[in-house]
Amino acid sequence: RRVLFRSEVSLTSSTVPASPNGLSYVFNLEASGTYENMIALAEKLTSFNRIVTVEAISISRDTRTEELVLNIRGRQYFKP
């Protein structure tokens, strides 16, 4: 079963460390698919091995394909 057929993820290094002992990376994720696909992706985000915070989320509809488009901006934290 295909969860998402198109996705794009970009990472940028944070200019401010998350804490004195850690680093964080901002990510932007775009994915398209059905409502069920969006729920499945959200559930996977909560089961990452790293701490992830969601800073912004939006869902829209692609007028050409009628598919839902999910955009998430988040931050993932790492220990150096």
Side-chain angles (χ1 to χ4, degrees):
R1 179 175 166 206
R2 180 175 56 182
V3 174
L4 298 170
F5 76 91
R6 179 188 65 164
S7 64
E8 178 180 316
V9 177
S10 60
L11 294 174
T12 56
S13 179
S14 175
T15 57
V16 178
S19 72
N21 299 322
L23 299 172
S24 67
Y25 290 90
V26 174
F27 66 89
N28 293 294
L29 179 134
E30 179 180 301
S32 63
T34 65
Y35 177 78
E36 291 78 17
N37 296 145
M38 304 298 159
I39 297 301
L41 178 61
E43 288 173 350
K44 289 186 184 303
L45 268 177
T46 63
S47 64
F48 279 178
N49 290 334
R50 306 254 186 234
I51 296 173
V52 174
T53 57
V54 175
E55 297 178 350
I57 188 168
S58 67
I59 299 176
S60 58
R61 186 174 299 277
D62 186 324
T63 56
R64 291 174 291 133
T65 64
E66 292 299 312
E67 289 187 319
L68 294 176
V69 178
L70 174 70
N71 287 286
I72 297 174
R73 184 181 73 238
R75 184 178 299 266
Q76 188 170 20
Y77 298 88
F78 300 88
K79 278 192 163 185

